[in-house]
Amino acid sequence: QVQLVESGGGLVQAGGSLRLSCAASGRLISITSINNMGWYRQAPGKQRELVAAVTSSGTTNYADSVKGRFTISRDDAKNTVYLQMNSLKPEDTAVYYCNGDLTYYSRGLYSHVNTNWAQGTQVTVSS
């Protein structure tokens, strides 16, 4: 019922920037709030890692490798979370995913759900 769609990836030279978007939507439901959401990435041959996260109150935290370069933000009116990535490095190359939890309204009830992994968006940084 709930779907996350990541977008904004692409090929960029080292030092460049990209802005990723993660939009939540649902069929026959109304999403009332995105609660805690994180951006993750998985490079070839490596485990998926948390890159940045934002809580329902707006508190953010970042992996040490991206601090000062990446910024996570949210637009609750659009049920969308963003990841602004600046000063990109070749080691940032990975598939980027978002995941978290949200609240939706359907058939007279509010429900809380953890989102499923979506297909992600590829980010490739050339040297």
Side-chain angles (χ1 to χ4, degrees):
Q1 284 183 312
V2 176
Q3 183 181 18
L4 294 177
V5 177
E6 302 102 339
S7 62
L11 173 63
V12 64
Q13 288 187 333
S17 298
L18 285 173
R19 188 195 194 205
L20 306 184
S21 298
C22 169
S25 63
R27 184 171 177 269
L28 301 180
I29 66 171
S30 176
I31 296 174
T32 57
S33 65
I34 295 177
N35 303 322
N36 307 300
M37 191 65 68
W39 279 99
Y40 301 76
R41 68 185 180 188
Q42 186 167 20
K46 295 187 177 181
Q47 289 189 334
R48 192 171 298 181
E49 63 172 347
L50 178 64
V51 173
V54 60
T55 68
S56 55
S57 62
T59 301
T60 59
N61 65 80
Y62 300 91
D64 288 342
S65 59
V66 306
K67 280 182 181 176
R69 301 188 298 122
F70 291 10
T71 303
I72 188 170
S73 61
R74 55 193 296 156
D75 185 337
D76 292 336
K78 296 181 179 180
N79 293 326
T80 300
V81 176
Y82 303 97
L83 184 68
Q84 178 67 43
M85 306 186 296
N86 299 327
S87 301
L88 283 162
K89 304 175 181 180
E91 50 264 43
D92 294 319
T93 296
V95 179
Y96 284 71
Y97 305 87
C98 60
N99 208 341
D101 62 281
L102 52 82
T103 304
Y104 68 88
Y105 179 82
S106 176
R107 298 180 181 180
L109 294 175
Y110 288 93
S111 299
H112 175 268
V113 65
N114 293 319
T115 55
N116 294 318
W117 295 107
Q119 62 182 15
T121 185
Q122 175 71 47
V123 171
T124 303
V125 184
S126 63
S127 57

